[in-house]
C-alpha cells in the first residue's frame, strides 16, 4: 500500500498548481493566508486519474488531500528525482520488522545499504543542502500514516471500482515512472 501511495504522489506532482505547491496550499499575499484552489486530480499512472469530486462522493476526500498536501507538494518542493523516489520505495520494501520474516538480518543489511546510497546521492547531487537526506526520510512517516488511513477506508478499492487490483499492481510495476 505504501509503495502504491508513493507512486500516486509522485505521478500527481505535475498536476499541482505551482502556486499551491510553493505556498503549501495558502495564498500569502497581503499578509493573509487564504485558500488557493485545491488540487483536483490524483494520478495512479499515466492512464488513470482520479478526480476530487469522485473522492468526495466515495468519502475519501481527506485521504485524497493528504496524499497531495503531505506527499506530492513536499516532493515537488524538494524536486525529488527518480533515484531518491526509488530509494524511498526500497526503504519501504526492505522492512525488517515484518512479522514472520525470515532472513531479517539480510533485509536489515539491504535497508542500511539503501540508506547509505540515498545519503551519498543527496551529498553528491545536492552538496549545499545538508538537510536533504533528513527531509526525504521525513516523508516516510507521512506515507505510513496515510497508508494506514487508506487501509482503514479501503481507499484504493473505492477509487478503482471494478478495476482488478492485480491489474493495477502490474501497471504500477511495468509502467515507466511518471
Amino acid at each position: 500500500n505504501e509503495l502504491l501511495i508513493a507512486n500516486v504522489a509522485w505521478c500527481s506532482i505535475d498536476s499541482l498548481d505551482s502556486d499551491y505547491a510553493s505556498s503549501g496550499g495558502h495564498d500569502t499575499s497581503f499578509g493573509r493566508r487564504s485558500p488557493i484552489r485545491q488540487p483536483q486530480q490524483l494520478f495512479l499512472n499515466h492512464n488513470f486519474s482520479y478526480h476530487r469530486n469522485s473522492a468526495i462522493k466515495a468519502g475519501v476526500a481527506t485521504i485524497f488531500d493528504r496524499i497531495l498536501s503531505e506527499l506530492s507538494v513536499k516532493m515537488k518542493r524538494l524536486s525529488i528525482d527518480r533515484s531518491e523516489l526509488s530509494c524511498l520505495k526500497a526503504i519501504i520494501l526492505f522492512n525488517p520488522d515484518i512479522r514472520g520474516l525470515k532472513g531479517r538480518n539480510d533485509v536489515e543489511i539491504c535497508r542500511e545499504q539503501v540508506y547509505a546510497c540515498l545519503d551519498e546521492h543527496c551529498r553528491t547531487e545536492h552538496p549545499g543542502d545538508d538537510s536533504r537526506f533528513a527531509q526525504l526520510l521525513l516523508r516516510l512517516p507521512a506515507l505510513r500514516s496515510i497508508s494506514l488511513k487508506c487501509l482503514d477506508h479501503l481507499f484504493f478499492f473505492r477509487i478503482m471500482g471494478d478495476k482488478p487490483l492485480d491489474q493495477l499492481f502490474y501497471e504500477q510495476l511495468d509502467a515507466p515512472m511518471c
Side-chain angles (χ1 to χ4, degrees), residues 16-115:
L16 296 174
D17 181 334
S18 60
D19 291 335
Y20 182 88
S22 65
S23 70
H26 293 88
D27 179 5
T28 55
S29 59
F30 305 113
R32 294 186 307 227
R33 291 177 56 95
S34 59
I36 290 179
R37 188 173 163 262
Q38 192 84 2
Q40 299 296 303
Q41 284 191 304
L42 278 177
F43 286 85
L44 275 71
N45 60 39
H46 288 298
N47 302 319
F48 188 65
S49 67
Y50 188 64
H51 197 274
R52 189 166 196 281
N53 290 337
S54 298
I56 292 168
K57 288 178 188 172
V60 293
T62 302
I63 294 171
F64 181 101
D65 294 340
R66 285 189 68 194
I67 290 170
L68 290 170
S69 66
E70 295 177 35
L71 298 173
S72 297
V73 166
K74 303 280 171 84
M75 288 176 167
K76 186 169 186 149
R77 273 195 213 141
L78 287 169
S79 298
I80 289 181
D81 63 37
R82 289 175 189 244
S83 297
E84 292 164 336
L85 178 67
S86 297
C87 285
L88 290 175
K89 288 167 48 176
I91 290 167
I92 293 165
L93 191 60
F94 292 124
N95 183 354
D97 299 324
I98 300 296
R99 189 179 325 147
L101 179 68
K102 295 179 182 172
R104 184 177 316 274
N105 289 338
D106 294 335
V107 172
E108 197 164 324
I109 289 169
C110 287
R111 188 181 230 190
E112 291 297 325
Q113 290 173 341
V114 175
Y115 281 128

